[in-house]
Amino acid sequence: MRACSKWIEEDASSWFDAWDKIPLGFILWHVQELAGKSHMRHALAGAMYLMLVHYSRGKKADRDVGYDFIRRVQNAEGELTKRELQREEAIGREFIAVKEGLPYGEWFSWVNERSGFSYGQVRRYMRLAREAEKTSREYA
């Protein structure tokens, strides 16, 4: 509450809304892994503060938090931004078009010699493109 005092004074309802969105059980479960390595109260307070800032929708706490930290965590966990995901889906669509234009049996050699990507990456990009297309058809 001390870290968010300005936010609480200015808009307490959005502060409570942010609390309602916090997955407290999930946080507690992960913080328990720090037992014996850190003070549990401090670890829990830090995790909850981070989630409050995440759900603050621009209101933030009294102190600015660098969102580059959250981005580094997302990168470490392999989570793509929307832009990165769209880029990979576009690359996948290009690979699908190339594969459809090649004669049977030449696809694997084309990937190895000309794509600049590993076969596993190419397959992943194509899978992302197919999933995106399938999702867009379901919502259309």
Side-chain angles (χ1 to χ4, degrees):
M1 289 180 66
R2 280 185 261 158
C4 301
S5 60
K6 183 179 175 187
W7 179 14
I8 295 168
E9 289 172 14
E10 291 176 2
D11 190 3
S13 64
S14 72
W15 189 72
F16 286 119
D17 288 341
W19 272 100
D20 289 341
K21 294 176 183 173
I22 292 177
L24 193 55
F26 179 77
I27 293 172
L28 286 169
W29 182 68
H30 280 287
V31 167
Q32 285 179 355
E33 295 175 15
L34 298 173
K37 298 173 185 80
S38 174
H39 292 283
M40 300 299 291
R41 184 184 309 166
H42 299 167
L44 182 59
M48 289 170 33
Y49 178 78
L50 179 64
M51 295 305 290
L52 276 172
V53 169
H54 177 72
Y55 289 118
S56 71
R57 287 182 270 138
K59 297 197 184 310
K60 294 193 230 178
D62 293 346
R63 189 171 148 201
D64 284 341
V65 174
Y67 284 95
D68 60 322
F69 170 75
I70 293 174
R71 187 69 213 127
R72 286 194 315 265
V73 169
Q74 290 172 330
N75 285 339
E77 293 178 350
E79 186 177 328
L80 300 175
T81 64
K82 186 174 182 177
R83 178 179 286 173
E84 291 169 334
L85 185 61
Q86 289 172 340
R87 179 185 161 275
E88 291 189 3
E89 290 168 357
I91 292 170
R93 286 191 296 275
E94 290 178 27
F95 284 139
I96 290 170
V98 169
K99 183 177 181 180
E100 290 172 352
L102 288 173
Y104 182 78
E106 293 185 22
W107 168 244
F108 188 74
S109 61
W110 182 89
V111 169
N112 287 333
E113 296 168 8
R114 307 218 28 222
S115 73
F117 294 92
S118 71
Y119 188 69
Q121 286 176 306
V122 169
R123 288 180 47 120
R124 187 171 71 81
Y125 291 152
M126 292 171 66
R127 179 182 46 80
L128 286 171
R130 287 183 185 115
E131 288 173 358
E133 184 178 327
K134 180 182 175 185
T135 304
S136 66
R137 276 186 276 155
E138 289 174 357
Y139 288 110

